[in-house]
């Protein structure tokens, strides 16, 4: 682990940022504000082209952005990266240049096999793009992971650290890893805890209360709405701060009931999820699902969107003005009990 303050090896380099979503925009703006030369590569007519131009960037098609670039940052969604590499990057990236990813999925699972004459590195900020940008603007930074997969130039690590410095990560903390560790831990966190685990826990809690005869509105507040209060305490100070700020009754319930919900069986199933990630099963299934047009993905997503917790939640959130910039018609309407 380290912070860096040394001269940036990229100070005279041309950096091509491919993609201008949450991370892409934050990276491009921070790199430019760090005095680095940035060009943005996007699909013609795409929704972010005008936004990047409005931010003052030279915007060109990806292949043109890659030509002549000393470092190419791939910040597009995982599933479009293999085609982007084949069509725009592989034929145009110059020997000795660096190819940078913010997530190791495609390299680790061999969806992308990079040319042998380029550096391949990873820089993954541990925060969303909006935070990467806002912390940079405050003169701070978001900690970042960095890794080297292929070092042809002999300077791949310095390039990764230089890029991390350029987006503000070097102001905070840089943690060295490898593509395998970053990819597998990231996927596991999403599936077992942050997205899959948390959402299923909330839905199960909501259904348990409603099936027992309690009002859906109250169930929503208890298992969905108030979760933010606990997560914020975790985020700010870990288990220590959470236990400091909840009641003794809540603490005792934590100690005696938490292990009844999340038990050895849960951990065993988490290990099964991790095994599927490690042996490539998840990657193969996700790649095949994407290639098939996402039929299961769309069905499962719609089931979540149609769940009663979302119907109740939409009406309750409309009564929370702090979540909305202006009152909505839903907020003005009488609240009807949801059965």
């Amino acid at each position: 682990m380290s912070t860096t303050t040394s001269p940036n090896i990229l100070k005279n380099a041309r950096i091509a940022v491919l993609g201008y979503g949450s991370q892409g925009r934050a990276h491009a703006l921070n790199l430019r504000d760090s005095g680095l030369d940035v060009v943005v590569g996007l699909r013609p007519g795409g929704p972010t082209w005008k936004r990047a131009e409005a931010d003052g960037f030279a915007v060109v098609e990806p292949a043109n952005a890659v030509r002549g670039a000393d470092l190419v940052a791939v910040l597009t969604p995982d599933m479009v990266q293999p085609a982007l590499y084949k069509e725009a990057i592989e034929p145009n990236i110059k020997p000795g240049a660096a190819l940078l990813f913010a997530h190791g999925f495609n390299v680790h699972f061999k969806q992308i096999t990079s040319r042998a004459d380029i550096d391949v590195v990873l820089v993954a900020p541990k925060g969303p793009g909006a935070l990467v940008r806002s912390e940079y603007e405050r003169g701070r930074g978001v900690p970042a992971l960095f890794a080297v997969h292929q070092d042809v130039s002999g300077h791949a690590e310095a390039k990764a650290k230089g890029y991390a410095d350029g987006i503000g990560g070097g102001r905070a903390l840089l943690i060295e890893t490898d593509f395998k560790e970053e990819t597998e831990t990231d996927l596991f966190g999403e599936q077992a805890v942050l997205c899959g685990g948390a959402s299923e826990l909330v839905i199960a809690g909501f259904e348990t209360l409603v099936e027992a005869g309690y009002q859906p509105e109250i169930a929503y507040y208890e298992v969905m709405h108030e979760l933010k209060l606990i997560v914020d305490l975790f985020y700010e100070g870990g288990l220590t701060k959470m236990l400091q700020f909840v009641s003794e009754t809540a603490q005792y319930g934590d100690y005696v009931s938490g292990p009844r919900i999340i038990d050895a069986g849960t951990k065993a199933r988490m290990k099964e999820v991790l095994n599927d990630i490690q042996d490539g099963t998840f990657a193969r299934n996700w790649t095949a699902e994407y290639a098939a047009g996402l039929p299961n993905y769309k069905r499962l997503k719609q089931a979540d969107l149609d769940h009663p917790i979302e119907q109740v939640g939409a009406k309750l959130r409309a009564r929370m003005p702090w979540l909305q910039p202006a009152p909505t018609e839903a907020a003005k309407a009488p609240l009807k009990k949801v059965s």
Side-chain angles (χ1 to χ4, degrees):
M1 296 187 294
S2 66
T3 57
T4 57
T5 56
S6 57
N8 197 324
I9 193 174
L10 301 176
K11 64 181 180 178
N12 296 317
R14 185 167 181 79
I15 300 173
V17 172
L18 307 185
Y20 205 71
S22 173
Q23 290 289 344
R25 182 171 188 265
H27 289 212
L29 290 169
N30 291 4
L31 292 166
R32 184 177 66 185
D33 288 351
S34 294
L36 302 178
D37 180 19
V38 178
V39 59
V40 175
L42 299 172
R43 289 183 294 106
T48 54
W49 186 290
K50 289 184 179 180
R51 188 177 193 192
E53 284 188 329
D55 286 336
F57 286 105
V59 186
V60 296
E61 294 186 34
N64 292 331
V66 171
R67 293 188 189 103
D70 300 288
L71 184 147
V72 176
V74 184
L75 301 174
T76 58
D78 289 334
M79 290 297 101
V80 305
Q81 288 181 12
L84 178 67
Y85 176 78
K86 282 293 184 185
E87 296 167 9
I89 299 173
E90 187 175 47
N92 297 299
I93 190 168
K94 67 183 183 181
L99 181 61
L100 181 144
F101 296 88
H103 181 36
F105 183 96
N106 283 303
V107 172
H108 177 56
F109 291 117
K110 297 180 172 55
Q111 301 302 304
I112 293 176
T113 302
S114 54
R115 268 179 23 201
D117 60 349
I118 59 174
D119 296 335
V120 181
V121 299
L122 176 144
V123 173
K126 300 313 293 176
L131 185 66
V132 172
R133 180 57 179 163
S134 63
E135 283 299 284
Y136 181 94
E137 292 178 309
R138 292 186 178 101
R140 303 183 303 212
V142 171
L145 308 182
F146 76 93
V148 174
H149 176 73
Q150 188 166 284
D151 185 3
V152 171
S153 69
H155 304 290
E157 180 176 320
K159 293 176 184 178
K161 288 183 175 180
Y163 186 95
D165 283 347
I167 62 173
R171 299 171 176 176
L173 177 67
L174 301 183
I175 303 175
E176 186 171 8
T177 183
D178 55 42
F179 276 62
K180 178 181 187 295
E181 182 177 55
E182 186 278 333
T183 301
E184 294 177 355
T185 56
D186 184 81
L187 292 175
F188 177 80
E190 292 170 350
Q191 294 174 32
V193 180
L194 305 178
C195 300
S199 61
E200 290 302 316
L201 186 65
V202 166
I203 289 171
F206 176 84
E207 291 176 348
T208 299
L209 288 175
V210 173
E211 289 166 6
Y214 299 104
Q215 294 181 61
E217 294 84 359
I218 294 176
Y220 176 88
Y221 275 118
E222 294 301 333
V223 304
M224 171 76 88
H225 179 79
E226 293 190 17
L227 182 62
K228 181 183 186 304
L229 306 178
I230 302 303
V231 170
D232 283 349
L233 293 173
F234 283 151
Y235 185 77
E236 294 165 6
L239 292 172
T240 300
K241 187 166 185 177
M242 185 275 285
L243 294 172
Q244 178 184 355
F245 281 88
V246 302
S247 70
E248 291 179 337
T249 302
Q251 289 182 48
Y252 182 69
D254 175 333
Y255 304 144
V256 301
S257 297
R260 296 173 64 189
I261 304 301
I262 308 299
D263 59 11
T266 307
K267 189 173 180 181
R269 290 186 293 276
M270 283 185 168
K271 289 182 178 179
E272 292 175 1
V273 169
L274 181 57
N275 287 338
D276 281 353
I277 292 168
Q278 292 173 326
D279 68 16
T281 298
F282 172 78
R284 288 190 296 273
N285 290 345
W286 173 222
T287 301
E289 175 70 15
Y290 187 85
L294 303 173
N296 295 306
Y297 168 96
K298 292 174 182 176
R299 174 178 55 81
L300 294 169
K301 181 175 183 178
Q302 194 59 49
D304 271 359
L305 297 177
D306 291 339
H307 193 279
I309 198 172
E310 283 302 285
Q311 300 171 29
V312 173
K315 295 182 179 181
L316 293 177
R317 290 190 295 270
R319 297 303 185 95
M320 303 177 196
W322 59 90
L323 298 179
Q324 303 167 61
T328 65
E329 290 303 315
K332 299 174 186 176
L335 181 62
K336 296 180 181 179
K337 184 174 179 179
V338 178
S339 58

